[in-house]
Amino acid sequence: MAEGKYIIGLNEVPVGIIVPNSIFKLYSFWIGQANATRSLLEGKLFTPEEALQVGLVDEIVNPASILTAAERKIRKYMAMERNTWEQSKLNIRKDLITATSADQSEALQVMLKQWWAPTTRSILKTIIDNLQKK
């Protein structure tokens, strides 16, 4: 992540958007279940330093060095034996892949109903209006 006055995170709940289980699983994979639960319910947006501390990002770099840092990281991975690396990564993420690959039609319907609910529309309008004033 670039250093500076940036933020990263998921603020869906305070905005009125339901967080599906698959998103929770992804978030908790990286920052742990307790952190993911608190952060999602509060809509916590992390500074680069906070994101690094909780494990949401691997590194903080100067914005001008983002591409170099990404290339350095991928070259490190590419230097490893491909099959071992791929299979290990799949094993580590097996439960996550299962959760995110499952049929989410029912959850999507619930989310869409909430997305179009007057309360959510009102919250989103307020946010957009406030952003336009800045």
Side-chain angles (χ1 to χ4, degrees):
M1 182 173 183
E3 61 188 10
K5 293 186 177 187
Y6 301 104
I7 53 175
I8 186 172
L10 300 172
N11 63 347
E12 279 74 358
V13 172
V15 173
I17 300 169
I18 296 170
V19 175
N21 185 54
S22 58
I23 298 300
F24 176 73
K25 294 285 187 189
L26 283 166
Y27 218 44
S28 62
F29 179 84
W30 292 109
I31 67 173
Q33 192 166 353
N35 271 338
T37 299
R38 281 189 297 275
S39 298
L40 285 169
L41 291 176
E42 295 171 6
K44 170 78 173 149
L45 297 175
F46 298 94
T47 65
E49 293 77 18
E50 291 169 331
L52 181 64
Q53 184 178 6
V54 297
L56 192 54
V57 300
D58 294 328
E59 184 178 0
I60 301 171
V61 297
N62 182 297
S65 302
I66 288 284
L67 186 56
T68 302
E71 288 174 347
R72 182 180 65 244
K73 180 75 81 171
I74 196 65
R75 288 184 199 289
K76 177 181 174 183
Y77 294 147
M78 290 173 66
M80 296 180 193
E81 199 285 319
R82 182 182 177 139
N83 187 56
T84 301
W85 193 84
E86 281 181 5
Q87 291 305 307
S88 295
K89 190 172 179 180
L90 283 171
N91 289 340
I92 291 166
R93 295 179 175 190
K94 185 177 181 180
D95 293 339
L96 181 60
I97 292 167
T98 299
T100 57
S101 299
D103 180 12
Q104 298 179 46
S105 303
E106 189 176 318
L108 180 59
Q109 291 305 312
V110 172
M111 289 173 52
L112 287 174
K113 184 177 178 183
Q114 182 63 32
W115 173 260
W116 293 110
T119 53
T120 302
R121 299 281 96 204
S122 176
I123 294 168
L124 290 171
K125 182 181 180 330
T126 301
I127 291 169
I128 291 168
D129 290 347
N130 288 337
L131 288 171
Q132 290 175 343
K133 292 177 186 175
K134 290 184 179 184

